[in-house]
Amino acid sequence: MRKRILAMALSICMAVTVCGCGNKKEADETQTGKTDVTVTGEDTVPSGDVAEEDNEMQVDGIIQESAANMATADCESGFYDDSLQCPDTEEWNTNEYSYTDENPWMNVQTSPLSTFAADVDTASYTQIRSAIENGYDIDPSMVRIEEMLNYFHYDYPLPKGNEKFAVYTEYADCPWNKDTKLALVAMNTQAIDFKEAPASNLVFLIDVSGSMFDDNKLPLVQQALTMLAENLTEKDRVSIVTYAGSDEVVLQGVSGDDYHEISSAIEGLEAYGSTNGSAGIETAYALAQKYFIKGGNNRVILCTDGDLNVGLTSEGQLEKLITEKKDSGVFLSTFGVGYGNYKDNKLELLADKGNGNYAYIDSMFEAKKALVDELGANMVTVAKDVKLQVEFNPAQVKGYRLIGYENRVMAAEDFADDTKDGGEMGAGHSVTALYEIIPVDSEMELPKTDLKYGEAAQVVTCGTEDYTDELFTVNIRYKEPDGEESKLESYPCKTENYNKDGSDNLRFAASVAAFGMLLKDSEYSGSADLGMVYTLASYAAGSDEYKKEYLSLVRNYGEKQPGFSEDIVE
């Protein structure tokens, strides 16, 4: 790096020296009395010694500017050396997020069906937590309320017998709107001990480009994957692929109980070069196919900051690549790290299209949660293409709004279409969704839609059965991990499920949703404030360490905001 700067400086100095000869000649001419200074309007051009001093200052400025530009380019491209001090990440923030408008109010008479794909990603909450703890601003596009909700564990019932899911519903008064109710829809899978799980064929796909140089990137990934490796057994297989300017196979099909070989390979990695992620993805899937375990867990685990700058780099190109690969039966999980040049949009897309899940790791605390405590949930798929469709009863509900899941909303007709992609659920995952609903007797009004052929929805009856005591019905479609045809299950939520104050599950979820709306500066947040957020969660957190951490996070954020009371409930 120093040699490059010196070479550039020498070239500039030589060029300016040549130019300086012309200036010296002009200076000599001024001594013969031709001119002392040239006047153009109000500007003056000095000559002689003054001009030489200006030239020297100009040269210094050009050298400094060139060195700074080269350093910035090197930081962005990933060519680091020990002498290079890269710009502060907060000042040079090139994080990327996808923006989606919030879900609007829907009229049950014209839109009785709400359809969305299951989502168990958690990256949004972890990024928000990291930003607050480090004093960074919250980009509203960073906030995905469904991922905040699904970061936490709730006291939902477990599946019984051969059930794939247990489904739980309830509703209560909405804390931030006196004219609405808040309904909770949740589904839960049975957790398993990873050592009892089917054999796993794992390919660690690790970004070792120059942008991964920082301590909170590659070194954190190395520690996280080393912890994961401690939980593998002889029935498992591990391969390692790295990518920078090109891809490299570090390990192939090593037995999971050979911890020394796996950990040594991980610990020996170093960051360098540009980022050809698409080449690494191709190689990782090829290895996953080579060591494919029929009936097992075949998965590529991508660890990166998402800064793909060589090969296929656009979201469209990556989506096409991963959509083609997912038919191989290999799942893709993405784990993001870093800040300042983080590409959240690409990592979320890859996981969604690769039949996997997406988490963000900002500390060893989070690495342990994602890759040790929840190893079964994040590595063992129990159902794929999971879709939910909630049908609201117009006899009870006037309108509704799904809170979050904006980039997971689907057309009603896509629910029964098995060619349309849903979400994936692992062993021990739960999906939590909240609806704000307007009861038929509420004073809150929705904009009217004039229909030529009358209202689309009617009170639901079937033969002699009367469903007017049902608020809504949750329909779920899913496929087995190796299946291609979906199964359907239905669960009604009856009016008797009403609880004025809500359970601890609903109150905590309401707190998280309200916090997310405040961070997004949502038009739907009503009377919500940080005091409400904190109070709701404080009653419902119990002894859960992650929920207690959430309370500390809200207080940490609140103390920097005007009007946050120090006398809130402890």
Side-chain angles (χ1 to χ4, degrees):
M1 179 67 189
R2 294 192 202 93
K3 291 179 180 178
R4 293 173 60 202
I5 294 175
L6 289 172
M8 177 68 76
L10 181 59
S11 299
I12 294 169
C13 288
M14 292 175 66
V16 174
T17 299
V18 173
C19 296
C21 292
N23 291 339
K24 184 66 170 64
K25 180 179 179 182
E26 292 174 5
D28 290 340
E29 290 175 348
T30 63
Q31 294 176 4
T32 64
K34 289 186 178 180
T35 182
D36 189 37
V37 291
T38 302
V39 178
T40 305
E42 296 180 356
D43 296 330
T44 61
V45 181
S47 58
D49 293 339
V50 176
E52 291 181 3
E53 290 177 4
D54 283 351
N55 283 336
E56 290 176 3
M57 293 175 64
Q58 188 177 18
V59 170
D60 288 342
I62 293 172
I63 293 173
Q64 292 173 7
E65 183 179 358
S66 298
N69 290 339
M70 292 167 65
T72 299
D74 282 351
C75 285
E76 292 176 349
S77 64
F79 292 100
Y80 295 94
D81 70 18
D82 294 337
S83 65
L84 176 59
Q85 297 298 318
C86 287
D88 180 78
T89 54
E90 187 174 9
E91 294 180 8
W92 294 81
N93 185 339
T94 56
N95 294 339
E96 292 180 9
Y97 306 94
S98 296
Y99 175 77
T100 308
D101 287 330
E102 289 185 273
N103 291 323
W105 284 108
M106 305 298 291
N107 192 318
V108 173
Q109 293 294 340
T110 56
S111 303
L113 300 175
S114 173
T115 309
F116 62 98
D119 187 359
V120 295
D121 296 345
T122 60
S124 177
Y125 175 77
T126 322
Q127 291 182 74
I128 291 168
R129 182 185 66 198
S130 180
I132 291 174
E133 290 176 345
N134 289 285
Y136 301 141
D137 292 334
I138 304 295
D139 185 329
S141 299
M142 180 194 295
V143 182
R144 293 185 291 271
I145 293 177
E146 69 277 9
E147 295 184 21
M148 297 175 67
L149 291 169
N150 289 325
Y151 180 85
F152 300 98
H153 292 283
Y154 301 85
D155 187 23
Y156 298 143
L158 294 174
K160 298 178 181 177
N162 295 323
E163 290 180 343
K164 183 73 68 174
F165 312 105
V167 174
Y168 174 82
T169 60
E170 69 166 299
Y171 71 109
D173 293 348
C174 181
W176 55 82
N177 189 338
K178 64 180 179 59
D179 295 319
T180 63
K181 306 296 182 186
L182 194 62
L184 184 148
V185 176
M187 54 191 298
N188 200 25
T189 62
Q190 181 70 58
I192 61 171
D193 184 338
F194 187 76
K195 288 183 170 55
E196 305 288 327
S200 291
N201 164 36
L202 304 179
V203 181
F204 298 163
L205 176 55
I206 306 170
D207 182 352
V208 294
S209 63
S211 66
M212 292 286 288
F213 184 81
D214 297 336
D215 288 342
N216 64 342
K217 294 186 178 181
L218 181 58
L220 184 57
V221 166
Q222 291 170 302
Q223 294 177 68
L225 292 179
T226 300
M227 285 197 302
L228 187 159
E230 291 178 343
N231 292 273
L232 302 179
T233 65
E234 69 279 355
K235 73 177 185 298
D236 305 315
R237 292 291 176 268
V238 174
S239 302
I240 299 177
V241 177
T242 62
Y243 65 93
S246 60
D247 58 294
E248 178 183 350
V249 177
V250 178
L251 282 184
Q252 286 196 55
V254 173
S255 175
D257 63 350
D258 195 344
Y259 175 76
H260 177 72
E261 184 174 2
I262 297 170
S263 61
S264 296
I266 294 171
E267 291 166 0
L269 302 178
E270 296 181 355
Y272 64 93
S274 54
T275 318
N276 192 345
S278 56
I281 290 171
E282 294 276 9
T283 303
Y285 271 92
L287 275 177
Q289 284 294 105
K290 180 178 180 180
Y291 295 99
F292 192 88
I293 300 175
K294 188 174 182 180
N297 171 38
N298 299 279
R299 186 174 300 265
V300 173
I301 301 171
L302 171 61
C303 300
T304 177
D305 62 3
D307 182 23
L308 309 179
N309 51 41
V310 175
L312 305 182
T313 61
S314 73
E315 291 186 46
Q317 291 172 320
L318 292 169
E319 179 175 353
K320 183 176 184 296
L321 173 63
I322 294 301
T323 300
E324 293 171 352
K325 296 297 182 184
K326 76 173 185 177
D327 294 334
S328 65
V330 177
F331 295 83
L332 172 68
S333 291
T334 60
F335 293 88
V337 291
Y339 185 87
N341 194 32
Y342 186 70
K343 311 305 179 188
D344 171 87
N345 51 347
K346 293 177 181 176
L347 294 185
E348 184 190 21
L349 174 75
L350 288 170
D352 289 350
K353 300 303 179 181
N355 281 354
N357 53 291
Y358 167 40
Y360 177 78
I361 298 175
D362 61 341
S363 63
M364 287 307 299
F365 173 82
E366 188 60 31
K368 180 178 179 296
K369 178 180 186 291
L371 295 174
V372 178
D373 298 344
E374 298 176 2
L375 186 57
N378 287 326
M379 296 296 153
V380 181
T381 299
V382 297
K384 69 178 183 180
D385 286 339
V386 181
K387 309 171 190 173
L388 293 87
Q389 186 172 79
V390 179
E391 180 179 358
F392 288 92
N393 181 0
Q396 297 289 346
V397 180
K398 184 190 304 184
Y400 64 88
R401 191 179 80 83
L402 175 61
I403 302 175
Y405 292 92
E406 282 83 4
N407 60 3
R408 295 289 190 146
V409 170
M410 307 179 73
E413 56 269 24
D414 290 344
F415 179 68
D417 185 347
D418 283 351
T419 66
K420 300 298 183 181
D421 194 29
E424 279 60 51
M425 293 188 67
H429 268 150
S430 63
V431 171
T432 298
L434 288 176
Y435 283 93
E436 190 174 352
I437 59 178
I438 307 173
V440 290
D441 57 356
S442 171
E443 295 181 1
M444 183 174 173
E445 295 293 337
L446 285 171
K448 296 290 185 180
T449 302
D450 294 328
L451 299 176
K452 179 179 179 180
Y453 298 107
E455 296 176 342
Q458 303 295 331
V459 175
V460 181
T461 58
C462 182
T464 59
E465 293 189 66
D466 185 356
Y467 296 112
T468 55
D469 65 338
E470 293 182 1
L471 197 70
F472 55 80
T473 295
V474 180
N475 299 300
I476 299 172
R477 281 196 177 274
Y478 69 95
K479 300 173 186 173
E480 297 293 339
D482 57 353
E484 295 302 323
E485 186 174 337
S486 67
K487 301 176 182 179
L488 173 66
E489 296 182 6
S490 297
Y491 305 84
C493 175
K494 300 201 172 186
T495 53
E496 64 188 31
N497 289 16
Y498 171 72
N499 178 348
K500 183 177 185 301
D501 297 320
S503 67
D504 284 349
N505 288 328
L506 193 149
R507 284 199 296 272
F508 190 85
S511 170
V512 174
F515 190 37
M517 288 192 291
L518 292 175
L519 293 174
K520 290 175 72 74
D521 193 23
S522 169
E523 64 177 289
Y524 303 105
S525 58
S527 63
D529 58 25
L530 290 172
M532 175 189 292
V533 167
Y534 190 94
T535 301
L536 283 168
S538 65
Y539 281 120
S543 59
D544 188 305
E545 63 176 321
Y546 298 107
K547 292 179 179 177
K548 286 184 174 181
E549 183 204 41
Y550 168 77
L551 284 171
S552 298
L553 186 71
V554 172
R555 177 178 283 281
N556 183 6
Y557 179 78
E559 287 173 347
K560 299 178 178 64
Q561 311 302 316
F564 184 70
S565 173
E566 286 292 336
D567 298 323
I568 52 181
V569 176
E570 293 293 346

